[in-house]
Amino acid sequence: MILLALALQAAASAPTPLDARYKACLDLATSNPQDAESEAERFRLAGGGARARQCLGLAYAQQERWRDAAGAFEAAAREADAAKDPLGARYWAQAGNAWLAANEPVKAYAALNTALAGTALTGQDKGEALLDRARTLVAAGQASAARGDLDSALESAPNDPLAWLLSATLARRMKDLPRAQSDIAQALKLSSDDASVQLEAGNIAALAGDATAAKTAWETAVKLAPTSTPGQQARAALGQFDAPPPAPSPTPAPPAK
C-alpha cells in the first residue's frame, strides 16, 4: 500500500524522541485501525504533531474511509508545512492518493500539485506522486499532460510496474501501439503475476491483431485473480472466443424451370 510505504519511510528518516510511539501507532493502524484512531489522538495530545495526524489518516485508509483519510493527511501536511518540516510533501502526496481512492480527482490534483511543488520528494516517492497526478489528469481527459507526468514518473521510479502498466494503458488509448507494446513488456518483466498487467497485455495484443497472445494473457489474468475486477474483465474479453461460428449462408434454390 503506497500510503503505508510512505509512512514507514518517514518513520525511518525523521528520528525524534517520539519515534517509538510513532512506529507503534503505524503498526496499530495496520493491525487494529479502530484502536489506532484513539491512539493517534492520544499521540497528538502528547506532542505527536503532524505524525499523529498522519497515523490517524492511515487508520482511516486501512478502513477505506478515504475522505476521512484525505482530511487527516491534509491536516498533517498543513501542520508540517507550518513547522517547516519537509515531510509535509509526503503527507500531501498521501492526501492526493486518498482523494483519488475517494474518486475526487480535482482535490487529488490540488494535493499532488502541492506535494510536487518543491524538491522534497525524490526517487520512488516523487515517482508515485507523479503517477497519481497522471491518474487525475487521465480522469480529467488531459491525456497529453498525463503522458508528461508518466514519463517523469518512469524516470524517477523505473522499477515500478504500475508506472509501466499505466503508461502502456495510456499509450493504447492514444493509439500509440509501439509505445504500448514496449511499456507492457516492461510491466510484464517486473510483475507478470499481476492480473492487471496480464489484462492489459491481452488488450494490447488484441489491438495489434494477435488473437493468440491476447487469449493467453487474458487466461492468465483469470487464473491469477478470478474474482478480481481485472480477472472478471479478462473473462468477459475471453467470451468472444466462445462465440459459435456464424451460420453458413443458405444455398440458393435452383432456378425454376
Side-chain angles (χ1 to χ4, degrees), residues 12-247:
S13 61
T16 75
L18 294 172
D19 262 359
R21 189 160 187 179
Y22 178 41
K23 178 63 165 56
C25 192
L26 296 182
D27 291 342
L28 191 61
T30 303
S31 62
N32 192 334
Q34 292 84 3
D35 285 356
E37 292 177 41
S38 300
E39 171 57 20
E41 177 61 16
R42 291 192 292 268
F43 182 29
R44 186 185 67 81
L45 293 174
R51 296 194 297 173
R53 296 184 186 277
Q54 183 208 28
C55 181
L56 178 62
L58 289 167
Y60 288 144
Q62 286 294 116
Q63 301 171 75
E64 298 187 0
R65 294 168 56 182
W66 298 116
R67 291 174 184 274
D68 291 335
F73 291 134
E74 287 197 349
R78 291 190 181 96
E79 186 165 342
D81 288 349
K84 307 299 182 183
D85 183 348
L87 290 177
R90 283 179 173 172
Y91 305 152
W92 282 116
Q94 289 178 315
N97 189 269
W99 281 126
L100 266 176
N103 197 29
E104 291 279 4
V106 174
K107 292 179 179 179
Y109 182 78
L112 292 161
N113 263 353
T114 304
L116 291 162
T119 59
L121 292 182
T122 59
Q124 187 72 22
D125 292 349
K126 182 178 180 181
E128 288 172 352
L130 285 164
L131 197 60
D132 280 344
R133 192 169 69 178
R135 292 165 60 198
T136 72
L137 291 166
V138 169
Q142 299 182 40
S144 296
R147 168 47 63 200
D149 270 358
L150 280 173
D151 288 345
S152 296
L154 289 170
E155 291 179 6
S156 296
N159 294 319
D160 187 338
L162 179 59
W164 290 107
L165 170 60
L166 295 184
S167 184
T169 301
L170 182 62
R172 173 175 58 81
R173 292 175 179 174
M174 297 176 73
K175 310 301 182 185
D176 185 351
L177 183 57
R179 176 69 187 268
Q181 291 173 317
S182 174
D183 287 358
I184 200 63
Q186 289 296 324
L188 285 166
K189 287 180 181 178
L190 293 167
S191 191
S192 62
D193 59 349
D194 186 326
S196 296
V197 172
Q198 292 290 349
L199 170 65
E200 185 57 35
N203 294 342
I204 292 169
L207 180 63
D210 189 340
T212 300
K215 185 177 181 181
T216 298
W218 288 332
E219 286 175 342
T220 302
V222 173
K223 290 177 183 177
L224 287 169
T227 61
S228 69
T229 298
Q232 292 172 353
Q233 291 175 346
R235 182 178 288 107
L238 284 167
Q240 63 189 286
F241 296 105
D242 298 330

